[in-house]
Amino acid sequence: MPGGYTQQQISRPFEPGLASKRLPLAVLLTACAIAVAHSLCAEPRNSPPEKHSETLSYKLPSAAYCGSLSCASASCHAAGDHGRPGSEYSTWVNGDPHFRSYSVLFEKASRDIVEKLCRRDGKPVPAHESAICLRCHAPSAIVNDAASARSSSITGVSCEDCHGPAEKYLTEHYRDRFKSLSRRDKAEAYGLFPTKDLAFRVTMCASCHVGDAEREVNHDLIAAGHPRLAFEYTGYHHWKSESLEWRHWEESAYGPDFEARAWEIGQVACARSAAELLRVRAQKAGKAPWPELAEYSCFACHKDLPSVKGFDTSRTPGSLPWANWYFATTDLAMDDPDAYRTAVARLGKHMEQPSRSRDTVVREAGELVARLDAQLRRLQDAADRDSLSRPYTDRQIARKMGASVRHALANDAARFADQDWDGLTQHYLASAAYYYAWSEVDRTGRDPQLADSLTSLGRALAFPRTYNSPRNTDPAELLRLFQRLRSDTPDPRGIK
Amino acid sequence: MNPSPLDRHGQDFLLPLPVSGRGLGGGVWRTAPSAANPSPPTPLPETGRGERILASRETLNQRVVVAIVVSVGLLAVIVATGGRDGHAQDAKEAKSTPAVASQRILNCQRCHTAPLPGDEAAGITSFVTLTEFKVWHEQDLHATAYENIVPNQTGGPGGRPNQAWEMEQRLKPHRPAGYKVNAAAECLTCHAVDLTMHRQPAVPLADKKLSDFDTLSGVSCEACHGLADNWESPHARPKWRQVMPEEKEKAGQVDLRDPQKRTLKCASCHIGNTEEGKFITHEMYAAGHPALPPFEMVTFCRDEPRHWFTHRENKVLAAMDETQARTNFHFAAPATATKTSGVCPDARDLVIGAVAAFEANMKLLAEDATATEKSGGLLDFAHFDCYACHHDLRVPSDRQPRGVPGRPLPRQWDLLQGVLTNLGGADNAKLADPVKNTQTGLGDLRKAFEDRPFGNPKDVAARASDLQKLCRDIRPELAKVSFTSDRTRDLYRKLADRIAAKDATYLDHDSAQQLVWALAVLQEELRASGGSAETEAAKTARQKLNAIVALELATKPRSPIGPRAGARQAEIQRFEFKPFRDAAHNWVKALEPK
């Protein structure tokens, strides 16, 4: 696997013995690539420039990229201790997997992927010259027409890919008058992306880590060897390479409840991106693979037989199960969970018959995007308003955590066994996020027993060595661990 | 005074049938053992012949009685509930038929359980074993086909629900009210005897009722041999052997000695046949139907177990006029150590079986793909290689070198491909083109599958239909090919190369098993034609290979479906290609002449 990615990392996020903010997830280093897999074979590097999503109502100006070296002056972002203010550039170079996202395209694993992907038709274009790889792995390499001129200095996902092309703000952003501007003004007048807006930030991450109209990791690409994308924001932001912190910022815009807010906004933003990707995929059917198998639960099919442990009688036996990773726990972050669940279930039903229901899928996925967009706005507004001044109390967080565990345990043991690995892992990540939030907010500190509960659960969800799927996971064991987690979860009634 | 054995289906043929549990056949049942039975194909163990026959009769009697009692009980319940049950009509019909149903099989049982005194002297037991019923009843899995679909909440291993009960629970929510797997035509077409089988045009699956099936005996005699109403009496007369197979077929007796007909008959259930309403959909598999093993006709027939004489055992055919034996009985005089001019009949059957089974597969695929194209849905996943999707994910993976990653593939058809390579060199000019076109067609079919996830139904339908037609052209020509020891050896090598060469490409468990079965058949055939026995080294290598892929289909004694299917799936889950290839390599090598 390129970048040493293994999915078992997803299920081993929780290591409470280490520094406070460091959890989850996979190194989806190579996490991004694009659309119609076979277009890799034909598409040249210089395709038209694209812009980041215009969701979230920021009108971003178009501007030129200046290159990450313009940020690297020692007096600006390339000095100071690793991870501290002033060291952003060097932290990125030394610890951030995004820095290596371009160089992995030269590795053998990437060459193998391209070879397999192009087996059906077309002549392989090397990964490091192919637009579908570069759009995520080195966005700066294909924007503007200066790409070829700059090719010698192509880096991975660099400063401007997340902060916006620097032409308009480069010489402004360190001045006092710039610093007093609002988030919106910085973005709309100068093109500095509002990354402190969590809804914007996660949606931007998701443009590669989930996919969008221009970028996706579809089933063809996964089958050729690209890691599956399974993005969960709070899991990712705790990722740590060996001993190096890779984050080059502090969450100064949020209070101690940041973890909880980030989980909720992350859930809704990822689901929103996933629903939008589904809409685009269904719309492109004919020009792109449809049904798109990456939409479905990986492990419903990818398991050695026999492995039916429980059985969901609501679904036609043997039909395609849609929506596990991005939709299993989102309802916990919705104001109208029942209506939301109904909408997701209805869409899932149509996805059982993807070729007959394509138009319905386009329409209903669009409706789901609108619903999630509205919620995303509400959650972000609440976070902006309250996180610093009136953060969630420990009692509120304990209640939310309890709800997420109960959500996993909903109904009886048989129903529990029906749940897919994706769904159970999302529940586990939810509990981990709330655990961190709770231990930040609660003055009494960490609860070792609860931490141990989470660690055990993470271990049980981990894939065995050399596997990329949950071989022989025992639902009875997972049930026991979730039950244990429930009894270890702080009781909100006991919190004053 | 004994009646002449050949006349037993004369005037006194219609025996009184039982109306109570007093015993079937009464005094008519003859138990006197004849002299030594000439090498029965499947020797039965231990007990004396007379006792065995009695025991077998007793068991059957009990089953029939139980069935009648159950049916009467069921009717009582239905009457009492005023037929509220959606299937009351079916159940009523079930009540009205059991006597007929049981009678059907008893008619066969009467003669085909044990030879009568004088049968041997009359030469009958040199032609048929006359123990067919007994072998079927005691050992053949087909006899349990119906039992296996009777739901029982505590009838599985360890008092757990049996497979049928679980399947019923999973299918119920998606079927009309009152759904019962053992009353559903979609199950009974394969698990019982379809009494409408000879009707033209065929009765569509949706119109088949419970009363259209004989459910009392599973897949019994008539399921394969054809409904006997019009040939039961005549087939016991000496004259019947002079009747041409076409005439027999007109009377309803299926010409199972023809390897083409036999394969198509087996394939109708073991692969599927839309016309006959036989198709295990992915929905059924997902609900718990065990995965069908790959099909290889000679192995399936051997392990049924066989209740007939092989070409090497049948003395009557060996002595018969050669043309008559060939035209009436599809007989191919086998080569032996002393008679090298003969051929290898099992090799011939294997090749014809491979082509005919593939043809059946293509027919099923073409029909379903055409329907899919019309309905705008996806091809039923049952058409795909199960293990294309159903595997744990590993990196690196043995699968990735094959095909276009990410597009589910159809099954590999390695046996067919090996067979076609062998036929490419056949001395029959009419074979050359269709064989070559089939090889090309396989590639085109694969492209239609790779075109999009779950295939492009329109292209799949067209390609599969082409392949079906090609095979239909090839099939009759195969009967004219002479399967000499040399040709058989060549086929053996071609198949062995696919499996055991050091650079052999990945085979999934089922493809591997199918090839190994075929190789075992050919080995046996080559040994028989050369008059040699299996060496110790070959036996050891075979046993090692057998631990990786089962070389025999059936277990002895016959075991219930649950554990049997479980063991098979465990074997599939354990399967890894490289250890298999090494074991196969050693096995093949142990047979090569020094």
Side-chain angles (χ1 to χ4, degrees), chain A residues 119 304, chain B residues 385-392 394 396-403 409-415 417 446 497-513 515 549 571-581:
Chain A
R119 221 179 258 166
D304 280 2
Chain B
D385 169 13
C386 308
Y387 312 107
C389 302
H390 291 307
H391 56 81
D392 282 335
R394 303 191 75 167
S397 154
D398 282 341
R399 293 180 170 78
Q400 283 182 327
R402 306 179 304 159
L409 293 172
R411 295 193 177 86
Q412 285 181 247
W413 295 301
D414 282 275
L415 174 60
Q417 292 188 44
R446 198 182 165 109
D497 281 351
R498 294 201 152 251
I499 218 164
K502 280 289 175 200
D503 60 348
T505 48
Y506 179 80
L507 292 167
D508 62 63
H509 170 275
D510 282 12
S511 304
Q513 189 173 41
L515 281 169
V549 286
E571 178 181 300
I572 293 171
Q573 198 171 9
R574 278 196 309 271
F575 182 83
E576 286 188 42
F577 179 60
K578 285 188 183 74
F580 161 77
R581 190 191 54 195

Side-chain angles (χ1 to χ4, degrees), chain A residues 1 37-38 116-117 119-120 219-225 289-293 298-306 308-320 349 352-356 465-472, chain B residues 169-171 173-175 282-288 291 372 375-378 381 386-396 399-408 447 450-454 565-566 569-570 572-574 576:
Chain A
M1 284 281 107
H38 55 80
K116 292 192 185 80
L117 200 55
R119 221 179 258 166
R120 191 164 66 94
H219 187 258
D220 285 348
L221 195 46
I222 298 169
W290 186 260
E292 174 44 59
L293 300 183
C298 302
F299 310 122
C301 301
H302 290 307
K303 56 191 175 187
D304 280 2
L305 297 172
V308 181
K309 302 256 166 58
F311 213 87
D312 178 3
T313 48
S314 67
R315 189 163 64 80
T316 311
S319 61
L320 290 165
K349 204 76 202 158
E352 279 185 23
Q353 279 296 345
S355 42
R356 263 176 234 165
R465 280 181 65 80
T466 78
Y467 281 89
N468 265 341
S469 56
R471 184 177 170 85
N472 297 334
Chain B
Q169 296 308 306
R170 290 165 182 169
L171 289 171
H174 311 281
R175 294 286 186 280
H282 186 254
E283 185 191 18
M284 293 185 191
Y285 285 126
T372 304
S375 72
L378 297 178
F381 302 159
C386 308
Y387 312 107
C389 302
H390 291 307
H391 56 81
D392 282 335
L393 300 174
R394 303 191 75 167
V395 175
R399 293 180 170 78
Q400 283 182 327
R402 306 179 304 159
V404 176
R407 307 286 167 96
K447 285 199 190 97
E450 285 172 346
D451 181 60
R452 64 175 82 147
F454 300 118
Q569 284 301 341
I572 293 171
Q573 198 171 9
R574 278 196 309 271
E576 286 188 42

